[in-house]
Amino acid sequence: MADVVTLITKDHRELEKLFGRLRKERRKRPELLEQMAALFIAHSRAEEEKVYPAVAEEAGERQEMKHSVQEHKEAEDLLRRLRQADPES
């Protein structure tokens, strides 16, 4: 079984690829946004439920983890706005 850091890094790289495709493949933007949203939401929930509590406890990074949760919320808001935007814009 892959370790958590490897899985997180893999998700980050996949999201970067999807962003690249989003820029280039205008006709596929609605489909790509749905893929991005599904991956991002699953990823962020797993981090918030499993990784962040451990980091906050073990490394004493409670404030940093709160900040990271806020960044996830901001990213989800951006995804919602992108889904509502004109795919050609």
Side-chain angles (χ1 to χ4, degrees):
M1 180 174 184
D3 67 68
V4 119
V5 173
T6 300
L7 293 173
I8 288 171
T9 302
K10 182 181 175 222
D11 284 353
H12 286 196
R13 296 301 83 80
E14 184 61 29
L15 283 166
E16 288 170 356
K17 288 177 189 175
L18 287 168
F19 266 113
R21 290 183 62 198
L22 192 67
R23 284 188 208 103
K24 296 175 185 173
E25 301 176 33
R26 288 178 178 251
R27 291 186 180 156
K28 291 188 177 182
R29 283 180 175 169
E31 174 188 329
L32 292 169
L33 278 170
E34 292 309 311
Q35 289 176 21
M36 289 175 71
L39 177 59
F40 178 78
I41 290 168
H43 173 90
S44 64
R45 294 300 183 272
E47 277 187 339
E48 291 170 16
E49 291 175 16
K50 302 294 181 185
V51 177
Y52 291 177
V55 171
E57 183 69 27
E58 296 296 320
E61 294 289 341
R62 292 190 197 315
Q63 198 59 31
E64 184 61 31
M65 295 305 94
K66 286 180 184 178
H67 177 74
S68 295
V69 168
Q70 182 58 37
E71 286 181 333
H72 282 171
K73 288 179 183 177
E74 291 169 8
E76 287 182 33
D77 182 53
L78 178 59
L79 276 170
R80 274 191 291 281
R81 292 189 347 232
L82 285 171
R83 289 162 124 177
Q84 294 170 354
D86 178 358
E88 293 297 317
S89 66

